[in-house]
Amino acid sequence: MTSIQSVYIHIPFCQQICHYCDFTKFFYNEQLANDYIEALKQEISTYVQEEQMNVRTIFIGGGTPTALTVQQLETVLSHIAQKFNLDACEEFTIEANPGDFSKEKVELLRAYGVNRVSLGVQVFDNEMLKTLGRIHTVKDVYNTVSLLQNYGIRNISTDLIYALPNQTVAHFQDSLAKAMDLNLPHLSTYALQIEPKTVFYQRYKKGQLPRPPQEDEVKMYDILKATAEENGLHQYEISNFAKRGFESKHNLTYWNNDFYYGFGAGAYGYLPGKRYGNIRPLPAYIKQAKKNGKPVLHVDVIGKKEQIEEEMFLGLRRMAGVSKHQFADKFGLSMDQLYRSSIKELMDRGWLMEEEDKVALTEEGKILANEVFERFLLEDTVIH
């Protein structure tokens, strides 16, 4: 059987809905959260029928997992410990908002082997945090980092967003400098995307969301790369930077196109031959999960053509690029056989570079990554 590398578990509850977020999320309600946790346990147990299954990474995301009470969080962690071998798990991450942690919650996480925390900082500016719909303050960031480190959790990642409404290059530079001053081992940084069904989308449609010009967004990205490098964080993926040895093993599962379970409302999983997406609305998810343990909304069949395309899309997000010999070993076809003309065109444009055994994005290619990825779509008749 093909091994499952990783597990993603979605906790969709938030104390506040951020203005830019389009993930599956709902305002926290204690009874609803209790019902959801029971449904989640049923789903996990349906897929993982043995005890103490070995996986490399576990990631509890959201929403805001730390919006749960200590008791609810313990119920989730206890079930995870029952179904997965935590002693063999190399990286166990939980997402959190600054200010959400109590000593009891941190002690609980430590007791169950959580060894990495991803903090949704977003920006080091209290007024801009309010604009984003965040409820934490900059002071909460410092207090949370200190609390986690005092309990021995030092593998902490911060999330930043740039190209925010009314944000200048100098403002981003200042926010980034404050993130660097924390001297944490990992940084994830994303340009703001205006997603449908968000507060920001409604404002954008009305012309009420002033965005920085595109050239400023490019400058911010250039500053980000240079500043991270100066502070010992190497870029290992388009949006991610880390000290050596602190790259996110869980996210590398996605970019390496390996298999993983996705549990919870709106979660996605990737199993041999298929990707599946779960039901998003909570009542429907809970009802279906309790009924048969498989609250799946849709399944996409992943044939060889789709696997090859995803290998290129996902692999090119990594700075290491895509290995030609690993590609050939995996698919029984050479990369040149399928993509020689696309690779040559992208190299001529300065978006792709080729070394003996790999292709990878150039600096300009990182900025125009989506255009690069389009060149690796295959005709239906190419793969039989």
Side-chain angles (χ1 to χ4, degrees):
M1 179 183 171
T2 307
S3 64
I4 305 299
Q5 292 286 315
S6 298
V7 176
Y8 175 78
I9 296 168
H10 192 72
I11 305 296
F13 299 104
C14 295
Q15 299 290 353
Q16 169 85 9
I17 305 298
C18 300
H19 294 167
Y20 54 86
C21 179
D22 75 331
F23 294 136
T24 303
K25 75 279 181 191
F26 303 89
F27 282 110
Y28 176 80
N29 170 287
E30 186 173 5
Q31 185 55 54
L32 187 59
N34 285 334
D35 290 344
Y36 179 81
I37 290 167
E38 288 308 307
L40 179 66
K41 286 166 59 180
Q42 178 66 38
E43 183 191 6
I44 294 171
S45 295
T46 300
Y47 280 87
V48 186
Q49 297 184 353
E50 72 267 35
E51 303 292 296
Q52 300 277 292
M53 176 184 175
N54 286 330
V55 289
R56 189 161 177 250
T57 73
I58 299 171
F59 194 109
I60 307 177
T64 314
T66 47
L68 299 179
T69 65
V70 171
Q71 184 179 359
Q72 289 169 337
L73 200 52
E74 180 157 28
T75 301
V76 173
L77 291 168
S78 174
H79 193 70
I80 291 171
Q82 178 188 333
K83 303 308 293 183
F84 302 102
N85 181 0
L86 298 186
D87 290 335
C89 181
E90 297 175 22
E91 182 187 271
F92 190 172
T93 304
I94 191 166
E95 280 185 338
N97 285 339
D100 269 359
F101 281 119
S102 61
K103 290 181 180 179
E104 291 77 15
K105 284 184 183 177
V106 179
E107 287 172 345
L108 183 66
L109 297 179
R110 290 287 291 153
Y112 280 94
V114 173
N115 55 18
R116 185 174 183 271
V117 172
S118 178
L119 279 182
V121 174
Q122 314 316 359
V123 66
F124 283 83
D125 181 302
N126 286 333
E127 286 306 310
M128 204 162 275
L129 284 168
K130 289 178 188 174
T131 300
L132 294 174
R134 306 289 291 180
I135 57 174
H136 75 267
T137 64
V138 174
K139 185 179 179 182
D140 289 328
V141 176
Y142 297 118
N143 290 343
T144 298
V145 169
S146 178
L147 177 63
L148 291 169
Q149 290 176 335
N150 287 342
Y151 276 88
I153 299 178
R154 300 189 175 275
N155 191 355
I156 302 170
S157 175
T158 50
D159 281 8
L160 291 184
I161 304 177
Y162 63 96
L164 295 167
N166 294 311
Q167 188 176 43
T168 63
V169 172
H171 181 279
F172 171 68
Q173 204 161 7
D174 179 67
S175 190
L176 182 61
K178 286 172 178 161
M180 293 297 101
D181 287 344
L182 288 169
N183 194 28
L184 297 176
H186 194 279
L187 174 70
S188 296
T189 314
Y190 308 94
L192 177 67
Q193 301 295 312
I194 307 300
E195 304 288 358
K197 299 181 182 178
T198 63
V199 172
F200 272 3
Y201 182 76
Q202 298 305 321
R203 291 181 186 171
Y204 178 74
K205 294 289 280 184
K206 295 174 183 174
Q208 297 171 352
L209 196 75
R211 301 288 307 281
Q214 191 166 12
E215 56 267 29
D216 281 4
E217 185 176 323
V218 172
K219 284 179 190 173
M220 291 178 196
Y221 187 56
D222 287 340
I223 288 167
L224 164 65
K225 291 183 291 183
T227 304
E229 192 67 35
E230 288 164 10
N231 285 271
L233 300 174
H234 77 102
Q235 185 177 20
Y236 69 101
E237 191 270 346
I238 288 175
S239 303
N240 286 270
F241 305 80
K243 293 182 180 178
R244 301 287 174 184
F246 286 91
E247 299 85 355
S248 169
K249 293 176 182 178
H250 183 83
N251 285 341
L252 282 166
T253 297
Y254 304 146
W255 302 321
N256 291 336
N257 209 17
D258 291 329
F259 299 117
Y260 57 91
Y261 284 125
F263 298 123
Y268 283 83
Y270 180 35
L271 304 178
K274 64 181 181 181
R275 285 191 190 277
Y276 65 90
N278 277 351
I279 296 165
R280 288 175 67 114
L282 245 58
Y285 167 84
I286 291 169
K287 181 179 178 182
Q288 191 63 34
K290 288 185 174 180
K291 180 180 178 183
N292 66 4
K294 292 197 173 182
V296 176
L297 178 64
H298 61 87
V299 176
D300 297 324
V301 175
I302 304 295
K304 192 170 184 179
K305 170 182 173 290
E306 290 79 17
Q307 275 188 296
I308 288 171
E309 290 171 343
E310 291 182 0
E311 190 81 8
M312 299 305 296
F313 302 160
L314 296 167
L316 284 171
R317 291 191 63 88
R318 300 171 306 175
M319 298 306 97
V322 183
S323 161
K324 290 184 174 184
H325 83 261
Q326 287 178 4
F327 182 96
D329 288 348
K330 193 168 185 177
F331 300 110
L333 294 164
S334 77
M335 193 184 294
D336 283 343
Q337 187 179 339
L338 293 174
Y339 290 122
R340 186 67 253 162
S341 62
S342 295
I343 291 170
K344 183 179 185 307
E345 178 203 347
L346 292 165
M347 288 175 64
D348 289 345
R349 286 174 176 252
W351 297 353
L352 202 69
M353 58 183 172
E354 183 177 31
E355 295 178 4
E356 282 187 16
D357 183 51
K358 74 168 188 179
V359 293
L361 295 175
T362 62
E363 291 303 315
E364 189 177 357
K366 293 174 192 176
I367 296 168
L368 299 164
N370 287 336
E371 289 187 51
V372 175
F373 300 158
E374 284 178 11
R375 304 303 199 282
F376 291 96
L377 291 168
L378 293 168
E379 297 290 334
D380 289 337
T381 55
V382 170
I383 304 296
H384 301 290

